């Protein structure tokens, strides 16, 4: 049986803990960016061209994490690559871990679990 949305939300949270642990064990650090986003905000972002209306943030299946290395904020998507690759490696047949660094318009600080074809 395929996992429900609630199953995915709970697994997503557990896997994000692993990602955070992995990052800190390699001398990276994070601060929290956006996790849950209201449908109203997502619609506004879509209108402004800064996001999509059906964002996985509205389903509690995505988080934006701000990356730091040696105390310095890393804003380039490429800086996130080792963490993006680790995140993707956590994928299983039931839970597809997607990294925003692979998006057409790279969004390196975005980590999600796919749902209904959305990443
Ligand atoms: Zn995001």
């Amino acid at each position: 049986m395929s996992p429900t949305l609630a199953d995915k939300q709970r697994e997503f949270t557990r896997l994000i803990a692993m990602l955070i642990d992995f990052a800190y064990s390699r001398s990276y650090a994070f601060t929290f960016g956006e996790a849950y986003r209201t449908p109203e905000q997502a619609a506004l972002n879509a209108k402004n061209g800064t996001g999509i209306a059906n964002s996985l943030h509205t389903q509690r299946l995505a988080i934006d994490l701000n990356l730091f290395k040696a105390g310095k904020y890393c804003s380039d998507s490429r800086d996130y690559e080792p963490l993006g690759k680790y995140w993707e490696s956590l994928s299983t047949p039931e839970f597809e871990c997607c990294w925003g660094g692979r998006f057409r318009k790279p969004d390196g600080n975005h980590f999600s679990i796919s749902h209904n074809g959305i990443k």
Side-chain angles (χ1 to χ4, degrees):
M1 211 173 78
S2 58
T4 64
L5 174 59
D7 292 333
K8 285 186 177 181
Q9 291 169 330
R10 290 187 291 257
E11 184 64 2
F12 174 67
T13 305
R14 188 181 77 80
L15 293 175
I16 286 296
M18 290 176 65
L19 174 65
I20 292 170
D21 192 49
F22 176 87
Y24 277 74
S25 75
R26 279 153 184 79
S27 304
Y28 290 99
F30 285 130
T31 62
F32 290 121
E34 200 170 359
Y36 177 68
R37 180 179 302 160
T38 64
E40 291 77 15
Q41 184 62 51
L44 205 61
N45 290 358
K47 199 176 155 193
N48 297 335
T50 57
I52 56 173
N54 55 359
S55 166
L56 289 176
H57 285 278
T58 66
Q59 309 267 19
R60 301 186 193 281
L61 290 176
I63 190 168
D64 302 327
L65 294 167
N66 307 312
L67 182 65
F68 293 81
K69 181 83 176 180
K72 212 171 144 260
Y73 175 53
C74 306
S75 57
D76 195 305
S77 275
R78 284 168 298 190
D79 295 330
Y80 290 77
E81 192 168 7
L83 305 167
K85 285 182 171 170
Y86 174 73
W87 178 248
E88 289 168 339
S89 80
L90 298 177
S91 292
T92 61
E94 288 156 320
F95 303 103
E96 183 194 13
C97 296
C98 302
W99 172 49
R102 307 271 186 222
F103 292 176
R104 190 161 29 84
K105 191 176 147 202
D107 190 10
N109 74 347
H110 176 96
F111 300 88
S112 63
I113 282 185
S114 70
H115 187 61
N116 293 339
I118 303 166
K119 291 186 176 182

